[in-house]
Amino acid sequence: MTLATATNEHLANISNTLIYSAMAVYTLAFFAYIAEWLFGSRSKVARTANALTTEAGRKAAGPAVTVKKAGGTAVLERPKVVTRAVAGARDVPDGPGAHGGDEQGDLYGRIAISLTALAFLVELGGVVARAVSVERAPWGNMYEFNITFSTVAVGVYLTLLALKKNVRWLGLFLTTTVLLDLGLAVTVLYTASDQLVPALHSYWLYIHVSTAIVCGAFFYVGAVGTILYLFKDSYENKLASGGKPGTFATSVLERLPSSASLDKFSYRVNAAVFPLWTFTIIAGAIWAESAWGRYWGWDPKETWAFITWVAYACYLHARSTAGWKGRKAAYIALIAFGCWLFNYYGVNIFVGGKHSYAGV
């Protein structure tokens, strides 16, 4: 065994250790987010948020919400009122967040964000160590793609928080998914460090695969927002029709942003990343011509990448078409994300093709 080989194996072991360490920290963050939601469920602020009516929302000098804290009171600003995307619907305020205005809930939420940032740095270190150990970009197989994808997804979340966007509600869902993703990576998809086949030794690997990972991370964030929009929209419709949602649904959904805010968030994320997905497909075609002598051959991976593009194009078109806004467009968005997931997992595992030689 040469010194270089021994060094690469040592770096690969370091990478594995860092990935497992990141999973441990993500687990702590997961429990901190759970604590935030639990403490927030007892807060009267959350229950008060949806009690604000449209008429009260129009009054600039409307009453503020007060809560008792450590022997005194604290005044919280009334949630911002936004207009739902569906024509003719009432105005609905954004929820106060997972913490529900509870002091301890907010503390656990901030702890969870700190742990998420720490786990992100540890996982990023694991990805970098893997790249150094294989002396190439760490995107040569599904294991490497998984650990990089989850890192980028968390990076998107933390970046949105740094930009002061109201996305803290995403934390619990994100850490849950990341833990599942990393658990699948280290148990089922793990592949030892190895070099790529000659066809993949190209600078297009850095361009095509990196943009695919970034697109997937944003599509994931948009999909979570879309799913929560559907739940929140059903909740608001039930309230508007005089129904009474269950206690658990009320406790959770009333603390989320309004359905209009969730719908707008998902649309902006998907619309912003769609041009990059278009570039990803074009870059892949250029790389295919360099590697296989043709730009497009309807390989399963190419086919499903195109299907995904068409699905998201339909979603963006539906958003601007009368009668297709709201829930109908949201269903198309989820179908589009399902196409992206199948393009990655389904095609790689169950369908053969030219992309299969990269290995699982």
Side-chain angles (χ1 to χ4, degrees):
M1 180 182 294
T2 64
L3 178 60
T5 302
T7 300
N8 289 343
E9 288 186 359
H10 179 64
L11 288 171
N13 291 333
I14 291 176
S15 172
N16 296 339
T17 300
L18 289 174
I19 295 300
Y20 279 105
S21 299
M23 292 177 65
V25 182
Y26 278 129
T27 301
L28 294 177
F30 169 79
F31 285 116
Y33 283 119
I34 288 290
E36 179 187 20
W37 280 93
L38 289 176
F39 280 104
S41 66
R42 69 182 187 180
S43 172
K44 291 183 179 179
V45 178
R47 292 190 293 274
T48 303
N50 275 320
L52 297 172
T53 62
T54 302
E55 181 180 358
R58 293 197 181 101
K59 295 180 180 179
V65 180
T66 60
V67 294
K68 294 182 179 181
K69 288 173 55 178
T73 60
V75 179
L76 302 178
E77 293 183 0
R78 183 169 46 81
K80 178 182 178 181
V81 175
V82 296
T83 303
R84 296 184 62 201
V86 181
R90 70 195 190 290
D91 292 341
V92 177
D94 280 335
H99 56 80
D102 182 84
E103 185 179 16
Q104 285 183 286
D106 181 63
L107 174 61
Y108 277 109
R110 287 185 280 114
I111 291 174
I113 292 174
S114 299
L115 289 170
T116 303
L118 175 60
F120 165 76
L121 294 175
V122 175
E123 186 180 11
L124 179 62
V127 173
V128 172
R130 176 78 176 198
V132 176
S133 71
V134 294
E135 300 178 349
R136 57 170 172 76
W139 312 317
N141 49 63
M142 290 184 68
Y143 168 75
E144 294 173 354
F145 192 100
N146 265 40
I147 62 175
T148 306
F149 167 75
S150 59
T151 304
V152 175
V154 176
V156 169
Y157 169 65
L158 294 176
T159 299
L160 291 174
L161 285 176
L163 294 175
K164 308 299 182 182
K165 302 299 181 181
N166 178 26
V167 294
R168 195 158 125 182
W169 48 267
L170 184 62
L172 176 60
F173 308 98
L174 177 68
T175 52
T176 302
T177 308
V178 167
L179 283 171
L180 292 174
D181 177 78
L182 292 178
L184 179 66
V186 300
T187 57
V188 178
L189 302 177
Y190 181 77
T191 304
S193 299
D194 198 4
Q195 294 302 310
L196 298 176
V197 296
L200 295 183
H201 284 286
S202 170
Y203 58 88
W204 284 106
L205 172 68
Y206 296 88
I207 299 173
H208 172 65
V209 183
S210 64
T211 54
I213 292 173
V214 172
C215 288
F218 275 95
F219 285 150
Y220 162 75
V221 171
V224 173
T226 300
I227 292 172
L228 294 180
Y229 156 74
L230 291 172
F231 280 107
K232 188 63 182 276
D233 184 64
S234 296
Y235 173 77
E236 291 175 0
N237 288 336
K238 191 168 187 177
L239 288 178
S241 62
K244 185 177 180 181
T247 302
F248 178 78
T250 299
S251 175
V252 173
L253 295 176
E254 69 185 356
R255 284 178 278 162
L256 292 174
S258 68
S259 62
S261 295
L262 290 169
D263 185 44
K264 185 186 298 182
F265 169 78
S266 300
Y267 169 70
R268 287 179 174 176
V269 169
N270 290 326
V273 79
F274 181 73
L276 186 61
W277 182 246
T278 304
F279 170 78
T280 300
I281 295 176
I282 295 173
I286 297 174
W287 188 12
E289 196 280 332
S290 174
W292 303 317
R294 89 294 189 274
Y295 289 99
W296 196 267
W298 296 105
D299 181 75
K301 180 72 70 172
E302 297 167 348
T303 301
W304 277 96
F306 178 69
I307 292 174
T308 302
W309 184 91
V310 171
Y312 274 107
C314 289
Y315 163 72
L316 296 178
H317 179 70
R319 286 278 312 188
S320 60
T321 302
W324 279 90
K325 294 181 179 179
R327 298 185 68 87
K328 290 182 179 179
Y331 292 138
I332 297 176
L334 292 182
I335 292 173
F337 183 66
C339 290
W340 186 90
L341 285 178
F342 182 79
N343 183 41
Y344 176 54
Y345 288 102
V347 172
N348 281 19
I349 296 175
F350 303 112
V351 183
K354 283 186 175 295
H355 289 78
S356 300
Y357 60 64
V360 173

